[in-house]
């Protein structure tokens, strides 16, 4: 057993670049996060923020952005529970939601990389600062801001960067630090008391001397992220010691409760994420007392990036989040921690796949009915009957591509195939209708459409094609 997580904030990360909850559902979630032990939110708005003026084009169109009133209500709901809200605004990498727009293509580092900003164009810097200004203005009393700056892919490969590297003799590391410095200093000029957090990954390979000379010491607070269940404790401690040795005395950690297993994961594995937190507790226990850990962001990625598919929806990940928070609070996932989770959520197991059907008050676990329907549908789609229907004996033996092309089939056997496929389709369709009803109450229509198209349509389509093809063939064979 490790000691509980050291003094500092436990932030729940809300990734709103996919499946953003309806505001009423989000208020219920914030209340649950508080009951489970969270004391802050790290909110990554992306295109869900109500940008206006010249930045209005950044607002989502397919997925409706939150209104100004809704953004204020999120903060009020959190504040009423003593929770701090920290906005995350990307300022360098992962700017897909900005640079995908045709009118802003010229601000990319290289044409093929939609996520990385060209650090040499003043227009790009001004755009970033205007994004920050609008977000800060809509967060009165804001004390801390996260500027992203992770995974700045292809940096140094653009023509402007190549020219800069050649003319200055500088390095890609220095190019990265130069832009982050410019943004951070501008933030301090505009809001002198603002704390600035940034992701650490672009600095991991830098020497301590490079970091000391970076200009970022005293200006930013690195947030070291690692979401793996087998996190390397010694390596992570060494990294944190390096940052501290360079003079970066305020540090953060970032773990994960969902959205970091596979890009298309549909159902969360609680144990995987608990294991990640157990490793982080070992890191915390191994740190020298001089290192000031300001807190941990428990990330819940909704997409790997703006243009990727949806990861697990929040309802199926709530047992994982609850378990991770209680692991940090207790220093292990003890019997007491397990009991706190099951009682708070009204569930029989912290593994969402092992939950029994709802019998307790659903309000204990906002979105539980949707989670159960997702599990049922996922189980159905993973069954051999569905996944391997086109490979079953009857289809391969009596309705192969050869038979379909020539419309020469055994009608009796084909009608057996047709009956099976139709029954599967009917079963799935009934569950999908129930899922739609639950999902649309918690998420925008566009999210419902996306989830169904990604997870259901791809499985239904082959079955539908088979039933239609059999009907066509039967016309040719039966009077």
């Amino acid at each position: 057993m490790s000691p509980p997580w050291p003094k500092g904030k436990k932030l729940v990360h809300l990734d709103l670049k996919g499946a953003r909850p309806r505001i009423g559902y989000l208020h219920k979630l914030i209340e649950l996060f508080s009951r489970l032990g969270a004391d802050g939110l790290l909110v990554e708005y992306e295109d869900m923020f109500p940008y206006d003026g010249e930045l209005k084009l950044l607002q989502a169109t397919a997925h409706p952005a939150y209104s100004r009133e809704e953004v204020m209500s999120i903060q009020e709901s959190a504040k009423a529970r003593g929770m701090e809200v920290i906005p995350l605004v990307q300022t360098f990498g992962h700017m897909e939601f900005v640079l995908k727009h045709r009118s802003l293509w010229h601000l990319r580092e290289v044409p093929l990389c939609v996520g990385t900003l060209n650090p040499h164009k003043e227009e790009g810097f001004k755009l970033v600062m205007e994004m920050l200004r609008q977000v800060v203005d809509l967060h009165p009393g804001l004390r801390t801001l996260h500027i992203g700056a992770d995974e700045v892919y292809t940096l140094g490969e653009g023509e402007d960067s190549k020219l800069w590297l050649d003319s200055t003799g500088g390095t890609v590391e220095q190019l990265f630090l130069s832009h982050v410095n410019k943004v951070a200093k501008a933030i301090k000029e505009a809001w002198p008391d603002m704390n600035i957090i940034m992701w650490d990954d672009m600095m991991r390979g830098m020497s301590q001397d490079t970091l000391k000379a970076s200009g970022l010491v005293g200006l930013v607070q690195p947030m070291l992220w690692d979401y793996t269940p087998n996190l390397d404790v010694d390596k992570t401690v060494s990294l944190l010691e390096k940052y501290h040795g360079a003079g970066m005395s305020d540090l953060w950690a970032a773990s994960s409760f969902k959205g970091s297993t596979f890009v298309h994961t549909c159902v969360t594995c609680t144990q995987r994420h608990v294991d990640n937190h157990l490793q982080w507790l070992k890191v915390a226990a191994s740190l020298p007392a001089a290192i000031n850990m300001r807190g941990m962001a428990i990330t819940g990625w909704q997409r790997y990036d703006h243009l990727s598919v949806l990861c697990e929806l929040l309802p199926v990940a709530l047992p994982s989040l609850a378990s991770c928070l209680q692991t940090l609070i207790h220093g292990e996932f003890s019997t007491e921690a397990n009991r706190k989770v099951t009682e708070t959520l009204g569930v029989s197991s912290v593994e969402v796949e092992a939950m029994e059907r709802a019998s307790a008050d659903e309000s204990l676990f906002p979105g539980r009915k949707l989670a159960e329907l997702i599990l049922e549908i996922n189980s159905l789609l993973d069954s051999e009957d569905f996944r391997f229907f086109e490979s079953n004996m009857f289809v391969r033996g009596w309705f192969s591509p050869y038979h379909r092309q020539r419309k020469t089939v055994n009608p009796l056997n084909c009608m057996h195939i047709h009956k099976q496929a139709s029954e599967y389709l009917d079963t799935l369709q009934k569950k999908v209708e129930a899922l739609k009803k639950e999902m649309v109450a918690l998420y925008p229509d566009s999210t419902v459409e996306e989830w169904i198209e990604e997870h259901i349509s791809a499985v239904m389509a082959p079955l539908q094609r088979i039933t239609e093809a059999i009907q066509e063939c039967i016309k040719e064979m039966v009077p």
Side-chain angles (χ1 to χ4, degrees):
M1 174 182 173
S2 301
W5 184 253
K7 182 181 177 183
K9 295 282 185 182
K10 292 182 288 297
L11 308 173
V12 174
H13 173 236
L14 283 175
D15 180 15
L16 301 176
K17 63 177 172 279
R20 69 99 165 143
R22 292 190 187 274
I23 196 67
Y25 182 48
L26 185 49
H27 287 315
K28 290 180 181 178
L29 289 172
I30 291 171
E31 198 242 330
L32 177 65
F33 298 162
S34 177
R35 282 196 287 130
L36 289 169
D39 40 33
L41 299 175
L42 178 62
V43 185
E44 189 163 356
Y45 290 102
E46 273 222 356
D47 57 353
M48 292 297 112
F49 187 81
Y51 289 107
D52 59 17
E54 292 183 1
L55 297 188
K56 194 171 179 66
L57 85 163
L58 302 185
Q59 275 196 47
T61 51
H63 309 270
Y66 288 121
S67 67
R68 296 178 67 84
E69 294 73 22
E70 286 173 331
V71 170
M72 290 302 297
S73 78
I74 292 169
Q75 296 168 72
E76 289 160 8
S77 181
K79 186 178 179 182
R81 294 167 176 84
M83 299 172 73
E84 181 179 4
V85 174
I86 299 174
L88 191 161
V89 181
Q90 288 286 3
T91 58
F92 206 172
H94 279 303
M95 291 190 68
E96 293 90 353
F97 85 102
V98 176
L99 301 176
K100 71 178 183 180
H101 295 284
R102 183 176 289 272
S103 62
L104 300 174
W105 283 4
H106 65 289
L107 297 179
R108 298 176 187 175
E109 170 72 345
V110 297
L112 284 177
C113 183
V114 187
T116 298
L117 185 74
N118 180 332
H120 307 281
K121 292 186 183 291
E122 191 63 19
E123 182 187 347
F125 171 71
K126 288 179 178 176
L127 180 147
V128 162
M129 290 311 299
E130 178 59 15
M131 287 165 58
L132 291 168
R133 183 194 68 76
Q134 292 195 23
V135 170
V136 173
D137 284 355
L138 202 53
H139 290 76
L142 187 67
R143 302 193 305 272
T144 306
L145 186 63
H146 196 310
I147 61 169
D150 61 318
E151 298 181 333
V152 188
Y153 300 129
T154 72
L155 183 62
E157 296 178 20
E159 292 307 313
D160 291 338
S161 288
K162 287 178 181 176
L163 187 63
W164 184 89
L165 293 167
D166 287 342
S167 62
T168 64
T171 64
V172 174
E173 287 181 352
Q174 290 168 332
L175 179 57
F176 170 79
L177 294 169
S178 173
H179 177 75
V180 174
N181 256 299
K182 187 176 181 180
V183 170
K185 285 176 179 174
I187 291 171
K188 285 290 189 181
E189 285 175 17
W191 307 285
D193 297 325
M194 190 71 73
N195 295 306
I196 304 170
I197 302 173
M198 65 178 286
W199 296 119
D200 83 300
D201 54 283
M202 294 297 291
M203 300 188 292
R204 288 180 194 173
M206 296 182 189
S207 69
Q208 192 164 290
D209 288 341
T210 298
L211 292 170
K212 280 181 181 176
S214 67
L216 293 179
V217 176
L219 197 57
V220 300
Q221 301 170 3
M223 180 177 275
L224 196 162
W225 57 271
D226 193 318
Y227 312 142
T228 56
N230 58 347
L231 176 157
D232 189 322
V233 173
D234 292 340
K235 184 178 176 182
T236 306
V237 170
S238 294
L239 262 176
L240 290 166
E241 288 176 334
K242 180 176 75 171
Y243 296 145
H244 180 260
M248 296 173 166
S249 54
D250 292 315
L251 299 167
W252 294 76
S255 58
S256 174
F257 75 92
K258 83 175 193 74
S260 57
T261 306
F262 298 108
V263 68
H264 52 75
T265 299
C266 183
V267 175
T268 308
C269 172
T270 294
Q271 188 61 54
R272 174 187 173 87
H273 298 289
V274 166
D275 287 345
N276 174 237
H277 287 77
L278 291 172
Q279 293 300 95
W280 269 113
L281 285 168
K282 291 177 185 176
V283 170
S286 304
L287 288 176
I291 294 182
N292 179 28
M293 293 301 291
R294 296 292 301 272
M296 170 178 279
I298 308 173
T299 64
W301 299 101
Q302 196 52 70
R303 300 186 196 275
Y304 273 32
D305 66 41
H306 181 77
L307 299 170
S308 67
V309 298
L310 290 171
C311 302
E312 315 101 292
L313 297 181
L314 268 168
V316 295
L318 290 179
S320 172
L321 173 61
S323 300
C324 293
L325 278 164
Q326 288 301 306
T327 298
L328 293 179
I329 290 166
H330 289 88
E332 62 177 337
F333 193 59
S334 60
T335 302
E336 186 182 349
N338 191 315
R339 181 181 56 77
K340 173 71 173 175
V341 173
T342 55
E343 287 183 1
T344 303
L345 294 181
V347 296
S348 56
S349 170
V350 299
E351 286 294 352
V352 68
E353 289 183 286
M355 288 191 322
E356 294 175 2
R357 292 289 302 183
S359 55
D361 181 4
E362 198 272 338
S363 66
L364 293 171
F365 181 160
R368 177 171 180 162
K369 289 180 183 176
L370 177 57
E372 289 173 344
L373 285 164
I374 288 173
L375 290 169
E376 288 177 17
I377 288 175
N378 189 62
S379 177
L380 201 59
L381 298 179
D382 276 349
S383 68
E384 290 193 5
D385 288 345
F386 273 84
R387 288 178 63 200
F388 303 112
F389 187 81
E390 289 184 285
S391 299
N392 78 30
M393 182 188 75
F394 280 95
V395 176
R396 292 189 66 178
W398 284 276
F399 202 59
S400 69
Y402 179 90
H403 294 123
R404 295 176 215 187
Q405 187 178 359
R406 289 160 179 77
K407 291 187 169 59
T408 305
V409 298
N410 180 319
L412 192 62
N413 284 357
C414 279
M415 288 312 296
H416 171 76
I417 296 168
H418 187 280
K419 182 173 181 290
Q420 266 192 331
S422 297
E423 286 174 355
Y424 293 154
L425 285 169
D426 185 55
T427 300
L428 186 55
Q429 193 60 51
K430 285 176 181 173
K431 290 193 181 295
V432 169
E433 290 305 315
L435 177 131
K436 278 184 185 177
K437 184 179 176 182
E438 287 299 321
M439 196 181 287
V440 80
L442 308 183
Y443 292 100
D445 294 352
S446 51
T447 296
V448 181
E449 291 167 13
E450 181 180 358
W451 196 93
I452 288 172
E453 192 164 334
E454 289 287 352
H455 294 281
I456 309 295
S457 300
V459 177
M460 290 183 78
L463 294 174
Q464 288 168 332
R465 284 196 297 268
I466 283 175
T467 58
E468 291 164 6
I470 286 175
Q471 288 171 335
E472 287 297 312
C473 289
I474 294 296
K475 289 178 186 176
E476 303 291 325
M477 298 293 294
V478 178

